Amino acid sequence: MTTPVPSAIAAIDVGSSGLRLAVASVPEPGRFEILDTLERGVEIGKETFTRGAVRRATIEETVAIVKSFMQVLKEYGIEDPERVRAVGTNAIREATNAQALLDRIYVATGVEVEPIDETEVNRLLFLAVQPALRAEPALTRSPTLVIEVGGGSTEWVFIENERVAL
């Protein structure tokens, strides 16, 4: 059993090829330490991009995964929904039955999955690479292209002078 961490927060990514969970502690504002990560595969994107909708069985599989993630979060002492951010990317946005999937997850788990658009994906990508860029001085002095190849999309951010340039 995991010891509850009072400063713990979590993120859930409902992606095209699977769900990911990250649990982190926040010892002080602006700083975090990863405590745990989990990943489980599910074919939301395959179904969205080939059928246009997510099958009922896949919706239930997704719900079961989120429930298992919530059990892990409970072990870390995370039971307040304000300490969890759950997002869904293009496989969710493009599914004709996206609302049914989102509603089913919420009713079964209390987790509200927020479908995010490309702009938010790029913002999060930019924030995610900041520590690595700052750790390598040549990257902060030079224009840098960051490419994220996902299961259902490819995103890119061009960074110059520690800012998004395009």
Side-chain angles (χ1 to χ4, degrees):
M1 177 119 190
T2 306
T3 305
V5 179
S7 66
I9 58 172
I12 298 173
D13 171 28
V14 182
S16 296
S17 59
L19 280 73
R20 284 159 291 285
L21 169 70
V23 181
S25 68
V26 183
E28 60 188 58
R31 206 174 71 102
F32 67 92
E33 297 168 3
I34 298 293
L35 301 174
D36 207 348
T37 59
L38 297 171
E39 186 170 338
R40 298 271 310 273
V42 67
E43 295 185 334
I44 295 171
K46 179 180 178 184
E47 293 176 12
T48 295
F49 305 134
T50 60
R51 301 174 74 246
V54 182
R55 292 180 312 114
R56 182 67 151 156
T58 303
I59 291 173
E60 292 308 317
E61 182 182 4
T62 302
V63 167
I65 294 168
V66 175
K67 282 182 176 179
S68 72
F69 286 177
M70 296 310 290
Q71 192 58 41
V72 170
L73 295 182
K74 188 175 184 178
E75 292 177 12
Y76 280 101
I78 302 173
E79 297 185 58
D80 177 3
E82 294 295 314
R83 293 171 54 196
V84 179
R85 181 169 188 206
V87 299
T89 53
N90 68 324
I92 300 289
R93 285 192 316 269
E94 295 181 25
T96 58
N97 62 340
Q99 198 56 56
L101 170 61
L102 299 174
D103 289 348
R104 181 70 184 103
I105 293 170
Y106 180 74
V107 167
T109 67
V111 173
E112 189 170 347
V113 178
E114 170 193 0
I116 57 174
D117 62 22
E118 295 89 350
T119 302
E120 180 66 356
V121 171
N122 287 338
R123 185 184 79 81
L124 294 172
L125 177 59
F126 173 73
L127 292 174
V129 300
Q130 286 305 296
L133 294 178
R134 289 189 181 122
E136 186 57 51
L139 293 176
T140 58
R141 290 190 304 268
S142 304
T144 304
L145 178 64
V146 179
I147 302 172
E148 188 259 337
V149 180
S153 66
T154 300
E155 305 291 340
W156 61 273
V157 176
F158 184 71
I159 301 169
E160 193 169 26
N161 299 321
E162 298 188 50
R163 291 193 131 82
V164 176
L166 293 175

